[in-house]
Amino acid sequence: MRKKVTETRLYRTEMNDKILNSGFKEFNKFFALDTNEYQKGAIEVKNKELMGLVGSMVLRCNDCIFYHLDRCVTEGCSRQELYEAMHISLVIGGSIVIPHLRYAFEVLEELIPA
Amino acid sequence: MRKKVTETRLYRTEMNDKILNSGFKEFNKFFALDTNEYQKGAIEVKNKELMGLVGSMVLRCNDCIFYHLDRCVTEGCSRQELYEAMHISLVIGGSIVIPHLRYAFEVLEELIPA
Amino acid sequence: MRKKVTETRLYRTEMNDKILNSGFKEFNKFFALDTNEYQKGAIEVKNKELMGLVGSMVLRCNDCIFYHLDRCVTEGCSRQELYEAMHISLVIGGSIVIPHLRYAFEVLEELIPA
Amino acid sequence: MRKKVTETRLYRTEMNDKILNSGFKEFNKFFALDTNEYQKGAIEVKNKELMGLVGSMVLRCNDCIFYHLDRCVTEGCSRQELYEAMHISLVIGGSIVIPHLRYAFEVLEELIPA
Amino acid sequence: MRKKVTETRLYRTEMNDKILNSGFKEFNKFFALDTNEYQKGAIEVKNKELMGLVGSMVLRCNDCIFYHLDRCVTEGCSRQELYEAMHISLVIGGSIVIPHLRYAFEVLEELIPA
Amino acid sequence: MRKKVTETRLYRTEMNDKILNSGFKEFNKFFALDTNEYQKGAIEVKNKELMGLVGSMVLRCNDCIFYHLDRCVTEGCSRQELYEAMHISLVIGGSIVIPHLRYAFEVLEELIPA
């Protein structure tokens, strides 16, 4: 019933392309800023992505949770690290975060099959 | 004009004591949960505190920003690491986060004198 | 088009089971805290569930609205009581709550057939 | 996969009718207030609808974004005006608004075919 | 350091008067709607005020918390009832609500001296 | 009791300078983006500032409300236009916006003496 990981990635890429090709260049500047912030710096990429995950969960944005989970797995985060970041989000954001925790578990089932 | 770091810490401790001594034990359980989540695990304490900082900034809670900045400095975060986490928060949360960035800079001036 | 009440309940139970059986015990502690808070106390269960409904509506969380509506009906809330709590949420949270009011009406149609 | 514009409009009208015919008159008062606020005043209708769009995007409410985009197009907003209002929302609200920008682009494709 | 209860009430009354006497009548309509919603109905006034308190705490609005605490005490809520409603808010909204719990305790000290 | 307009402007300028001179150039890029978005385009500056005001009020950020009110007055917005934009914010965001309406009235008293 939920969209597959591949479909979600595809939708995301297609719509981003439309935004970036709209001719309104200010969108491109914001997207560049957004991409750059997760590059390696004093904080390693993996931890930046976990921070992106926490920000997305407490703000309760499923599309953002999807993206950062996907990136976290690519960067080699362990299941334990993901659970810890998800739990920090749960305690900061409260029970209102639980539906997004369910979503994260669904996505994770497909990203890291047991 | 802003309260000093020592005053903020004191206010926090005093009020927490009142809550924890109110006789309503459910508050104590939540506070215990909150304290435990930043203990060392697969993610090191320093990075958990940076995650707490990101969560606090995107949710725009100055008291929470104060607490996690204070903890981050105690855990040895460098100025560069703090700036990177603050910038991630700014891009995720948008210009609405800027007033909280100003607050974070004020607190940091006192926590890490130049 | 919307998922049926029985499907929503099932999805919820299944995903909660996965979270509670993930082996990460901190999730279980938070869920226990969450379940306990709606037990009878000085405030009767029915009114606690109505408070949960108000909290869910102003924070605009459909899954949480579903759960508390379902519990409210089980606890014997009348349609009038539900409307009053929904209206309080609407005035506190503003027109941004209207889409969630539509959702609540959809769910209610199935929970309390006219 | 997303609902068509005509379906979204229909769902909206049907559910609003149910709310307005529920017999709970306080809902009708709020809806009247909500409708009146976008009437012509010192600010012209088109700009009020663009303000409604900004409010909806920064609060991340797709149903509200749909409604105000639909109204903006009816009131004769140009694509450039819509992009500028959407960009203001993006900078105020941050990257967490991006999924709603994607949604707005999808809706716009149908409302203003290229 | 925090404003006294009497000062807070006074500021509130003075500013509301200015808004209601601004000549912009739409403000008066909204304020009337807001006042009416807490009148007795199927839900008794005391419980409506507790719902207002929960809505205010999860949305993290100190001025609103002040107002509903003040009204709750006037309506005869016991300390236990207030704690239960505050705890529901804490679990729904998460640790980000804690600074507002501290504020509520400060106000309560003055409203219900031990 | 509230800070004067001149003090608020000064604090803002001083802290922004500290952020922009911190040596962390990513902050400067975001601030540039933020400043540019309110330049004249298809939407005139005055209306962009009113949109900034609406975004700030529904997100309940007093510092942002201050800034956009100040800019709106500089750009020649009438009291009636400001009230209409503030009322749109109130209806979208609900009674939780009222404390920020009070703040806006306080600032306005100083920016546009009666």
Side-chain angles (χ1 to χ4, degrees), chain D residues 30 33-34 37-38 41-43 47-48 50-52 54-55 58-59 78 80-81 84-85 87-89 91-93, chain F residues 30 33-34 37-38 41-43 47-48 50-52 54-55 58-59 78 80-81 84-85 87-89 91-93:
Chain D
F30 191 94
L33 208 76
D34 185 32
E37 80 179 308
Y38 297 102
I43 300 172
N47 282 314
K48 284 194 173 174
L50 286 169
M51 286 169 203
V54 170
V58 300
L59 288 175
S78 68
Q80 180 72 14
E81 285 171 320
E84 288 180 16
H87 185 252
I88 285 175
S89 310
V91 178
I92 293 176
Chain F
F30 192 94
L33 207 75
D34 186 31
E37 80 180 305
Y38 297 102
I43 300 172
N47 282 314
K48 285 193 173 176
L50 286 169
M51 285 170 203
V54 170
V58 300
L59 288 174
S78 68
Q80 181 71 15
E81 285 171 320
E84 288 180 17
H87 185 252
I88 285 176
S89 310
V91 178
I92 293 177

Side-chain angles (χ1 to χ4, degrees), chain C residues 30 33-34 37-38 41-43 47-48 50-52 54-55 58-59 78 80-81 84-85 87-89 91-93, chain E residues 30 33-34 37-38 41-43 47-48 50-52 54-55 58-59 78 80-81 84-85 87-89 91-93:
Chain C
F30 192 94
L33 207 75
D34 185 32
E37 79 181 305
Y38 298 101
I43 300 172
N47 282 314
K48 285 193 172 176
L50 286 169
M51 286 170 203
V54 170
V58 301
L59 288 174
S78 68
Q80 181 71 14
E81 286 172 319
E84 287 180 16
H87 185 252
I88 285 176
S89 310
V91 178
I92 293 178
Chain E
F30 192 93
L33 206 75
D34 185 31
E37 79 180 306
Y38 297 101
I43 300 172
N47 282 315
K48 284 193 173 177
L50 286 168
M51 287 170 201
V54 170
V58 300
L59 288 174
S78 68
Q80 181 71 14
E81 285 171 320
E84 288 180 17
H87 185 251
I88 285 176
S89 310
V91 178
I92 292 178

Side-chain angles (χ1 to χ4, degrees), chain A residues 13-74:
Chain A
T13 307
E14 283 180 353
M15 292 314 301
N16 282 6
D17 282 352
K18 287 181 185 172
I19 295 169
L20 297 172
N21 292 316
S22 67
F24 191 77
K25 291 297 175 198
E26 298 303 311
F27 288 139
N28 303 47
K29 286 186 202 163
F30 192 93
F31 275 61
L33 207 76
D34 185 32
T35 304
N36 285 338
E37 80 181 303
Y38 297 102
Q39 306 293 313
K40 185 170 171 19
I43 301 172
E44 58 180 320
V45 176
K46 192 179 78 171
N47 282 314
K48 285 193 173 176
E49 289 296 343
L50 285 169
M51 286 170 203
L53 179 63
V54 170
S56 303
M57 289 195 80
V58 300
L59 288 173
R60 304 186 282 128
C61 170
N62 276 353
D63 286 356
C64 315
I65 290 170
F66 174 86
Y67 175 73
H68 288 293
L69 271 182
D70 202 9
R71 288 284 301 120
C72 282
V73 170
T74 303

Side-chain angles (χ1 to χ4, degrees), chain B:
Chain B
M1 112 200 28
R2 190 179 57 74
K3 280 197 287 185
K4 290 280 158 203
V5 160
T6 46
E7 284 177 278
T8 309
R9 282 186 195 131
L10 187 64
Y11 166 78
R12 190 184 158 83
T13 306
E14 283 180 353
M15 292 314 301
N16 282 5
D17 282 352
K18 287 180 184 172
I19 295 169
L20 297 173
N21 292 317
S22 66
F24 191 76
K25 292 296 175 198
E26 298 303 312
F27 289 138
N28 304 47
K29 285 186 202 164
F30 192 94
F31 275 62
L33 207 74
D34 186 31
T35 305
N36 286 338
E37 80 180 307
Y38 298 102
Q39 305 294 314
K40 186 167 170 22
I43 300 172
E44 58 179 322
V45 176
K46 191 179 78 169
N47 282 314
K48 285 194 172 175
E49 289 295 343
L50 286 169
M51 285 169 203
L53 179 62
V54 170
S56 303
M57 289 195 81
V58 300
L59 288 175
R60 304 186 281 126
C61 170
N62 276 352
D63 286 354
C64 316
I65 290 171
F66 174 87
Y67 175 72
H68 288 293
L69 271 182
D70 202 10
R71 289 283 301 120
C72 282
V73 170
T74 304
E75 292 297 328
C77 287
S78 68
R79 196 179 282 270
Q80 180 71 15
E81 284 171 322
L82 291 169
Y83 286 170
E84 287 180 16
M86 284 152 68
H87 185 252
I88 285 176
S89 310
L90 179 62
V91 177
I92 292 178
S95 68
I96 214 84
V97 170
I98 292 178
H100 304 276
L101 187 61
R102 287 188 201 113
Y103 175 77
F105 262 77
E106 274 195 282
V107 172
L108 221 47
E109 271 187 326
E110 215 183 317
L111 289 177
I112 321 183

